[in-house]
Amino acid sequence: MAAAVDRYTYTATGVLGDKRPTMLENEIHQRSQLARAKTHCHHFPPNMTMGISTTRDHTALPKAFSWTDAPVAANAGSSSLLSRPKQQPKDFVSLNRDAARSGYATMRENRDFRAMHDYRKQPERDRRASGTGAATSRPPVDAAHGVGNRPSTPIHELIAYKFQNDWIRDQVSGNQARAAATPMKPLMCQPYETRASMLRSYLLPAEQHASASLWKMPRFERSARSRLDTFRSERQRSLAFELHEAERTDRMGPRGLGLHIPSTK
C-alpha cells in the first residue's frame, strides 16, 4: 500500500522547513504537481452549485408533446397555440411622431404618452390593401439590382501609355497657365556681365599671341639674349631641329624630349 502523501509536500517548504496551516491557503506557497492542475486555494461551501442548477423532471417529455403549460386565450376553449390571436408589435415610429406633435419632449412625458396610447403595426395584408405598404408590382424584366459593372479597360490605351501622356500634357499645360498668370517681378537694376557669367553661357576664344613662346617680362624680352650660338649657320640650325623632330618617336616623355627608348631585341 502506497504511503500517504503529506499535505506540505507540494508547498514552499517541501519536506523540510516550518509548516504552517496558512501555507495551504496561500496560492503563492503552492507548487505545481506533475500531470495535475495547480490549485488556487479557493474553498466553496459544500452545497454550492457553480452555474445554473438543473432539476430532473420526469414529466417534461409529455408536456413538450401536449403543450399543457402554454397560455390559453381568454375567448378560446382549446389549449392550442394556433387558436391564440397574433398580437402585432408596437409602432414606435407613430408613437414618437404623435408625442412630438403633442409637445412631449422629456423622457418622462414620452413614457406617460406611451402608457396612455397603444399603437400597433398593421398586418402585412392590411398594409398592402390600404396601399401604405411596399409596392406589389413586379420589377421590369431588364432591371438590374445592385451595382452595375464598370466598362472594360481599353488595353490598347494601356500599352500605348495614353494615361501617362495625358497626365504629362495636363501638367505641362497647367504649369504654363500658372506661369502666364503670375506677374513678372520688375528688376531694380540690370545685372552686370562678368567673366564668370559669360563663361557660364559660352566659352571665350583664346587670345592669339604673335609668338608661340611663353610670356616673358619686357626687360628680359629686350635685353636678355643668348650669349652662345653653336650653330655655324641658320641652315645648320634648321637641319638640327628637323632631325630632332624626326627622333621624337623613339624618345621617352609626353613630348618626345627624353631619353631614347631602349631596344627590346
Side-chain angles (χ1 to χ4, degrees):
M1 183 175 180
V5 180
D6 188 10
R7 297 185 302 169
Y8 297 95
T9 302
Y10 300 102
T11 56
T13 58
V15 180
L16 301 177
D18 188 11
K19 301 178 179 60
R20 301 182 302 276
T22 55
M23 298 177 61
L24 302 175
E25 301 176 357
N26 193 343
E27 183 181 352
I28 302 177
H29 293 169
Q30 301 300 314
R31 296 295 178 265
S32 301
Q33 304 181 28
L34 182 61
R36 293 190 61 181
K38 186 177 179 181
T39 179
H40 295 281
C41 304
H42 295 302
H43 301 283
F44 298 98
N47 298 330
M48 182 179 179
T49 303
M50 298 295 295
I52 301 175
S53 59
T54 305
T55 57
R56 184 180 295 274
D57 188 5
H58 298 283
T59 62
L61 185 59
K63 289 180 180 179
F65 280 100
S66 61
W67 294 353
T68 56
D69 56 344
V72 182
N75 55 353
S78 174
S79 61
S80 177
L81 292 176
L82 299 177
S83 60
R84 293 187 302 168
K86 183 179 179 181
Q87 188 177 12
Q88 297 295 329
K90 283 190 175 184
D91 190 0
F92 292 100
V93 176
S94 302
L95 284 171
N96 296 338
R97 182 181 62 250
D98 293 349
R101 289 176 178 176
S102 302
Y104 297 97
T106 62
M107 184 184 301
R108 179 174 296 180
E109 293 174 351
N110 275 275
R111 184 180 57 191
D112 296 342
F113 183 83
R114 293 182 181 182
M116 292 184 296
H117 302 80
D118 189 11
Y119 293 174
R120 297 288 175 174
K121 293 184 178 180
Q122 297 182 5
E124 192 68 21
R125 57 179 182 273
D126 297 343
R127 293 173 57 189
R128 290 180 179 178
S130 59
T132 58
T136 58
S137 60
R138 295 183 179 181
V141 180
D142 56 348
H145 298 277
V147 181
N149 297 331
R150 64 181 182 87
S152 59
T153 303
I155 190 64
H156 63 280
E157 294 183 357
L158 292 178
I159 298 176
Y161 299 100
K162 180 178 181 301
F163 301 100
Q164 177 182 355
N165 297 334
D166 294 345
W167 182 83
I168 294 175
R169 186 176 62 256
D170 296 342
Q171 294 296 323
V172 172
S173 60
N175 294 338
Q176 293 177 355
R178 285 191 294 270
T182 304
M184 296 295 295
K185 294 183 179 180
L187 298 177
M188 301 301 295
C189 61
Q190 187 69 18
Y192 293 97
E193 288 289 343
T194 60
R195 185 178 180 84
S197 63
M198 293 173 65
L199 288 175
R200 293 192 190 99
S201 57
Y202 61 93
L203 184 63
L204 296 178
E207 298 179 359
Q208 299 294 335
H209 297 278
S211 61
S213 60
L214 299 177
W215 178 85
K216 296 180 181 180
M217 296 180 67
R219 61 191 186 93
F220 290 108
E221 189 71 24
R222 294 190 301 268
S223 60
R225 302 291 180 182
S226 58
R227 298 290 182 179
L228 183 61
D229 190 3
T230 58
F231 297 99
R232 296 180 181 180
S233 63
E234 195 68 28
R235 182 176 177 277
Q236 295 292 335
R237 181 193 296 272
S238 60
L239 183 60
F241 275 103
E242 290 178 3
L243 294 176
H244 178 74
E245 290 291 335
E247 293 178 355
R248 288 178 60 181
T249 57
D250 60 342
R251 289 178 179 271
M252 294 183 180
R255 297 186 179 182
L257 301 178
L259 301 177
H260 284 277
I261 301 174
S263 177
T264 57
K265 295 182 179 180

